């Protein structure tokens, strides 16, 4: 299996990242961090639905819980 294939397999969960060489692991880690920093379509849909239904919760400047209002 070529390096690119092994890194792709690790990113897809088909190969344990611990089995990668140091060089492959560095490439995997950079790609993994980039992928985890960007929401996927499922995450976008999940949070859009929650915003629409007013299910969001957060913390205000004083540390108190605040609840979202449903979007129209």
């Amino acid at each position: 299996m070529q390096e690119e294939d092994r890194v792709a397999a690790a990113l897809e969960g088909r190969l344990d990242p611990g089995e990668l060489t140091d060089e492959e692991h560095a490439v995997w880690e950079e790609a993994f961090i980039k992928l985890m920093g960007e929401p996927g379509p499922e995450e976008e849909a999940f949070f859009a639905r929650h915003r629409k239904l007013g299910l969001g919760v957060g913390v205000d400047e004083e540390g108190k819980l605040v609840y979202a209002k449903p979007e129209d």
Side-chain angles (χ1 to χ4, degrees), residues 11-68:
L11 287 169
E12 295 167 2
R14 297 182 288 114
L15 178 69
D16 184 334
E19 296 181 32
L20 298 173
T21 66
D22 289 343
E23 184 177 302
E24 291 169 335
H25 195 276
V27 173
W28 170 85
E29 185 175 44
E30 187 175 320
F32 181 80
I33 290 169
K34 183 179 179 196
L35 287 170
M36 291 298 104
E38 301 171 4
E42 295 88 7
E43 290 170 291
E44 293 284 359
F46 174 86
F47 287 107
R49 180 176 181 274
H50 276 66
R51 281 191 301 274
K52 183 175 182 172
L53 297 174
L55 298 176
V57 178
V59 180
D60 68 11
E61 300 81 26
E62 298 173 3
K64 296 179 184 175
L65 286 178
V66 292
Y67 300 90

